[in-house]
Amino acid sequence: MRLLVVEDDPRAAKQLVADLEELGHEAVVAADGRAALAIATDGRFEAVLLDIMLPYVDGVEVAKLLRDRDIDVPIIMLTALADLEQRLIGLDAGADDYLVKPAAPAEIDARLRAIVRRAARTSDSGIMRVGDIEVNEVKYRATRAGRLLVLPKLEFQVLCELVRNANSIVTRQMFYQNVWKYDFEPTTNIIESYIRHLRLHLNQPGERDPIATIRGVGYMITDRTDTGGD
């Protein structure tokens, strides 16, 4: 994956590039907001890792300007601030995801692949598919094998998150951030409860369970037959 890393700290940028290259990515560095805008506009990148605190033009403004210029490259914002208001400002400006530094390279890699898959799978009509399951985010409609699934709002959003990342693990943290908008992990088994109810809506007698439980990590929806449901 060809990435644009926007980071004004040379040491942090060098380490991040090394981590990304070890994971098989190619990275180009911009050290300030003005450079990021010029490079992102002229170059071809599959995603942008964008620090918020930048010289000249901050990361929030960079994201906003890129979206104003109809540049729809996926953006993950990186910041040392774990402030919810700052996260929401960044997302409102056009960022697709948000990570607090220092973030583990494996988590950055997982988030990158998730948002790139999401951009590729979601058409203008909002339709996503995996196996015999179809989800239309625009019309708030889900079916399995042509059968309408009547889902409460949060169950529908959980299904959307799974289908966006079909055949890949959706971690508990991804659910909390993308569905519940939490920056922390609650002490309750909220995800397990929603997955259990979602399975009841998805599966009729004789149908395979398309949701695999990846114990201790999260869940995965798959079009394969060898799922590892509960």
Side-chain angles (χ1 to χ4, degrees):
M1 197 180 300
R2 190 164 191 261
L3 307 171
L4 174 60
V5 173
V6 189
E7 171 62 71
D8 65 319
D9 182 335
R11 190 172 177 180
K14 183 178 180 180
Q15 183 60 57
L16 182 54
V17 168
D19 291 338
L20 292 169
E21 288 179 344
E22 188 172 339
L23 290 164
H25 302 294
E26 175 189 352
V28 174
V29 176
D32 60 67
R34 288 193 307 211
L37 287 169
I39 297 172
T41 301
D42 295 338
R44 292 185 178 182
F45 298 96
E46 293 173 78
V48 176
L49 291 170
L50 178 62
D51 192 17
I52 283 188
M53 306 298 289
L54 295 169
Y56 306 122
V57 183
D58 68 31
V60 172
E61 189 65 16
V62 169
K64 184 176 183 301
L65 289 169
L66 289 176
R67 297 311 186 221
D68 288 346
R69 296 174 186 181
D70 293 325
I71 297 173
D72 58 0
V73 61
I75 297 171
I76 295 180
M77 284 199 156
L78 300 173
T79 180
L81 302 174
D83 185 84
L84 176 60
E85 184 178 356
Q86 284 294 316
R87 180 169 70 88
L88 294 177
I89 289 171
L91 294 172
D92 285 342
D96 298 273
D97 206 345
Y98 193 103
L99 281 171
V100 177
K101 298 191 295 186
E107 183 174 8
I108 296 175
D109 185 55
R111 298 292 186 91
L112 281 168
R113 295 185 187 282
I115 64 170
V116 169
R117 282 193 303 269
R118 187 180 309 166
R121 283 197 175 115
T122 305
S123 66
D124 291 340
S125 62
I127 295 173
M128 302 179 291
R129 297 182 181 88
V130 56
D132 59 358
I133 296 169
E134 179 177 292
V135 176
N136 188 321
E137 287 190 285
V138 174
K139 295 185 178 180
Y140 192 83
R141 187 174 187 272
T143 62
R144 180 173 189 187
R147 180 180 78 252
L148 182 65
L149 304 173
V150 181
L151 302 174
K153 181 179 179 181
L154 281 175
E155 281 182 38
F156 179 80
Q157 292 176 349
V158 168
L159 178 60
C160 286
E161 189 67 15
L162 287 165
V163 175
R164 281 192 198 100
N165 300 285
N167 299 310
S168 296
I169 298 171
V170 180
T171 67
R172 296 171 61 86
Q173 189 64 25
M174 290 168 69
F175 277 122
Y176 289 134
Q177 290 193 347
N178 298 334
V179 176
W180 280 271
K181 310 303 179 185
Y182 292 164
D183 279 325
F184 59 93
E185 183 166 331
T187 56
T188 60
N189 295 327
I190 186 171
I191 294 175
E192 289 79 359
S193 176
Y194 274 87
I195 292 290
R196 183 169 62 253
H197 285 93
L198 178 58
R199 280 174 165 146
L200 292 174
H201 283 102
L202 278 175
N203 305 326
Q204 289 194 341
E207 291 182 330
R208 71 176 184 86
D209 184 359
I211 302 176
T213 301
I214 313 301
R215 300 194 183 280
V217 181
Y219 297 89
M220 176 173 64
I221 199 165
T222 175
D223 52 13
R224 296 190 296 270
T225 59
D226 55 339
T227 62
D230 289 333

